[in-house]
Amino acid sequence: MKNTLFLAALFISIFKGIAQEQPNIVLLFVDDYGWADVGFRNPKFHTPNIDQLKKDGLNFNRAYIATPTCSPSRASLLTGKEPVRFQMVRHIIDSKEKAAKNNVPGGEFNLWPTDPVQMPSRNWLPLEEVTYAERLKEFGYYNMFIGKWHLGSKKYHPVHQGFDAQYGTGDHGHPGNYYAPFFKKGNPLPDSSEGTYLTDVLTDGAEKFIGEYDKEQPFMLSLWYYNVHGPHIGRKDWVERYKKEGLTGKDAEYAAMVSTMDESVGRVRKAIEAKGIADNTVIILLSDQGGYFSNAPLSGGKTGGNTLGEGGARVPFIVHYPGVTTPGISCDVPVQSIDLFPTLVEIASGKKPKTKDIQGKSLMPLLQGKKFKERNLFFFRSYEDQYTAIMNGDWKMVKYHSGRHDLFNIRTDRSESKNLIDIEVDRAKKMKKQLEKWEKEAVPEF
C-alpha cells in the first residue's frame, strides 16, 4: 500500500513538473497599428516598451494579415485558416443603425454597397470553427480574454469559443469614446469612473488577472486592444507631450494612443516579472492590419483601395520566447496571421501540430533559428476593385476585378513603386496560374 501511494505521489510530482514546463502565453493584439508606427522604425513615436520587446525577442520584419481588415484578421488568428474559406471577407457591421445606413442587410451574411461582386460576408465566427483557445484547453491551459472581439454578438463571444473568462468584451468593433463611459449601448465596462481611459482599464484587468492567478495549470492571456482604432482620442497627458514636440490635430491624438498602448505593454511585462514567471512566459505582439494614417515608406493602408499593399497588409509582429528566441534578432521570412494558431499549439504541446484542415504553419523553426520551407501566401478581401494577392519570397502579385495585375519585388521595392508585370513576364505568368488555382480551391461560390 505504501509503495502504491509512493508511486502515485511520484507520478503526480512528475506530471506537475511537466505541466510547469509549459510556458504561459500572453498575446497582445493591437487594432490598426501600422508597421511603421513604432519607435525603432520611426522616432516620431515614443514606444520604449515595444522597442525593448524587440531587443528581447524575435522581430518579424515581414508579417502579414491574410485578410487585412478587422473581423477576418481576428478569425485568421483564432483558427489558423484563410478567412475567405469560411466566407468572412469583410468586417462585421456591429449595429443595426450602421447596417441600415450602409444598406447592409442583417442575418448570417452582409453585403457591402461598393463591393463590385457583392460577395456575402459572415456576421459572426461560426461556433463550429476550432479556436486556439479550444486547442490549448486540450493541453491543460486556462484561457483568459480581455478586450475587443468583433466576431459576433453575445452568443458568439469568447466564452463560447474556448475561453474560460472574458473582460471588457462587447459586440462593438470600436468604442464611441476612449474616455468612460466608452460605449453608448451595451457597455461591457459600466463601472469605469469618469475620466478613466479605456486602454488603462483593460490593462488594469490584465494586471489583476496575472497578479491573482493561482491555478497550477499554465495560462494564455489574450489582450486584444481597442487601441489604436478610431475615434482617434489620445490620453490627454500624451497628447500634450506630442503637441509640445510639434504634432497637431489627429497626428498628436494618434501618437498619444500609440504611446498609451506601449505603456500597457510595459505594465503587462512588469506584472509578469512581479509574479515571478517572466522566464516561463511567451509574449507576442501583433497588429490586425495596417494603419489608418500614412504608412510610409510602405504603400497603401487601412483605407484607400490599396489595403493589400504593404502598408495595409504588413504589420508589427514580435515574439519573445525565453530560452528559445535569440534576443535582438530580426527575420525577413514572410509569415502570416494564420501561422499563429499552429505556433501556439506547438508551444503548448511541445509537438509539431498535425492539423490538416488549416493553412497556417508553425513558426517554431523560425523561433529556434532554423530554416523554414518557402511557400506561397495568399490574401483576399471584398470591398473594392483590388481583392486578392499572392506572395512568394520577395515577389508579390496583386489582382483586381477589372483584370489588372501588379507585380512587385518587395525586397528591392518595399514601397511598391515599380510594377514589373510587363518585365518579369515568365514569373508573372506562373504566379497568375498559381493564384487562379488557389482561387478555385479557396473562394466559395456564392
Side-chain angles (χ1 to χ4, degrees):
M1 181 66 178
K2 288 183 179 180
N3 288 338
T4 303
L5 290 173
F6 172 78
L7 288 172
L10 180 62
F11 284 130
I12 291 172
S13 176
I14 292 172
F15 176 78
K16 284 184 176 180
I18 294 171
Q20 288 170 353
E21 289 178 3
Q22 290 178 289
N24 304 298
I25 305 169
V26 175
L27 171 59
L28 306 171
F29 192 42
V30 191
D31 198 320
D32 290 0
Y33 185 38
W35 178 86
D37 298 344
V38 62
F40 63 80
R41 292 193 178 109
N42 187 347
K44 165 184 172 180
F45 296 97
H46 300 295
T47 58
N49 296 294
I50 296 176
D51 295 352
Q52 186 61 50
L53 185 64
K54 174 185 177 287
K55 292 177 182 177
D56 295 337
L58 173 64
N59 174 50
F60 288 90
N61 275 324
R62 293 185 60 194
Y64 298 89
I65 303 297
T67 295
T69 189
C70 210
S71 305
S73 69
R74 287 156 168 71
S76 68
L77 231 65
L78 284 165
T79 67
K81 294 181 179 181
E82 296 159 339
V84 66
R85 292 178 184 264
F86 47 84
Q87 212 162 327
M88 185 177 281
V89 293
R90 291 186 298 277
H91 72 284
I92 294 168
I93 302 297
D94 60 299
S95 73
K96 292 181 180 179
E97 292 83 5
K98 190 177 289 186
K101 183 179 178 181
N102 287 282
N103 192 29
V104 179
E108 186 177 1
F109 294 92
N110 70 68
L111 296 174
W112 195 253
T114 57
D115 177 13
V117 297
Q118 289 295 283
M119 183 176 183
S121 183
R122 289 192 180 274
N123 281 326
W124 55 77
L125 179 66
L127 294 178
E128 57 267 26
E129 292 295 336
V130 178
T131 68
Y132 65 64
E134 290 171 310
R135 286 305 313 277
L136 263 61
K137 189 179 289 290
E138 296 174 13
F139 304 113
Y141 276 73
Y142 182 92
N143 293 284
M144 178 68 185
F145 187 90
I146 296 177
K148 175 175 174 174
W149 180 244
H150 205 188
L151 285 169
S153 57
K154 190 172 182 179
K155 62 181 179 180
Y156 302 101
H157 273 191
V159 289
H160 303 297
Q161 289 281 22
F163 293 90
D164 296 286
Q166 64 185 51
Y167 173 72
T169 304
D171 297 346
H172 304 278
H174 59 81
N177 196 322
Y178 276 90
Y179 279 99
F182 311 131
F183 303 91
K184 291 182 179 180
K185 295 182 179 179
N187 187 0
L189 297 163
D191 298 327
S192 296
S193 58
E194 185 177 350
T196 55
Y197 195 75
L198 180 55
T199 306
D200 294 333
V201 173
L202 296 182
T203 308
D204 290 343
E207 288 179 325
K208 186 174 188 294
F209 170 77
I210 294 167
E212 296 180 359
Y213 190 77
D214 59 359
K215 303 182 189 313
E216 291 186 359
Q217 65 195 111
F219 68 78
M220 177 167 181
L221 167 61
S222 296
L223 173 52
W224 291 15
Y225 298 94
Y226 292 91
N227 252 16
V228 291
H229 192 292
H232 296 109
I233 302 171
R235 208 177 67 198
K236 294 175 183 177
D237 57 332
W238 272 112
V239 173
E240 289 306 310
R241 176 171 174 177
Y242 276 109
K243 284 184 176 180
K244 289 178 181 178
E245 294 177 6
L247 299 189
T248 60
K250 291 300 180 183
D251 279 344
E253 300 284 349
Y254 175 73
M257 296 177 82
V258 169
S259 289
T260 305
M261 177 272 295
D262 177 78
E263 273 188 10
S264 174
V265 173
R267 287 176 58 188
V268 169
R269 293 197 71 182
K270 285 182 179 178
I272 291 168
E273 291 167 3
K275 187 72 172 179
I277 56 174
D279 291 339
N280 195 36
T281 300
V282 180
I283 301 175
I284 302 168
L285 176 76
L286 181 68
S287 174
D288 77 331
Q289 68 180 108
Y292 179 80
F293 298 94
S294 170
N295 293 291
L298 308 182
S299 69
K302 176 181 177 177
T303 59
N306 186 23
T307 301
L308 297 183
E310 292 292 290
R314 194 198 289 205
V315 295
F317 182 29
I318 303 171
V319 179
H320 173 43
Y321 190 166
V324 176
T325 52
T326 301
I329 298 296
S330 288
C331 175
D332 291 321
V333 175
V335 300
Q336 213 170 36
S337 51
I338 56 176
D339 299 329
L340 197 63
F341 176 102
T343 303
L344 292 172
V345 171
E346 185 163 357
I347 290 173
S349 67
K351 298 179 181 178
K352 188 175 181 179
K354 297 181 179 180
T355 310
K356 295 181 180 180
D357 61 342
I358 67 171
Q359 292 74 55
K361 303 295 181 184
S362 173
L363 301 177
M364 189 60 73
L366 292 176
L367 299 182
Q368 296 170 332
K370 299 178 182 178
K371 291 184 178 180
F372 194 74
K373 186 178 180 181
E374 191 173 82
R375 57 182 169 154
N376 289 325
L377 295 178
F378 298 95
F379 304 78
F380 191 101
R381 67 200 299 272
S382 196
Y383 288 89
E384 57 251 324
D385 190 22
Q386 183 194 76
Y387 77 101
T388 193
I390 177 175
M391 178 177 289
N392 183 278
D394 297 333
W395 294 92
K396 175 183 175 184
M397 175 179 283
V398 183
K399 184 177 179 181
Y400 297 73
H401 287 299
S402 57
R404 169 182 162 187
H405 290 77
D406 297 334
L407 180 65
F408 304 104
N409 185 311
I410 301 303
R411 180 176 58 84
T412 60
D413 179 28
R414 64 181 179 179
S415 63
E416 297 169 298
S417 61
K418 300 174 183 177
N419 187 0
L420 303 176
I421 193 70
D422 295 323
I423 298 174
E424 294 281 344
V425 178
D426 291 340
R427 185 182 301 276
K429 184 178 180 180
K430 179 180 179 181
M431 293 183 76
K432 281 182 181 179
K433 286 184 178 180
Q434 291 173 328
L435 184 52
E436 288 170 1
K437 181 181 178 181
W438 175 82
E439 283 190 74
K440 289 179 181 178
E441 173 195 332
V443 182
E445 294 183 2
F446 58 94

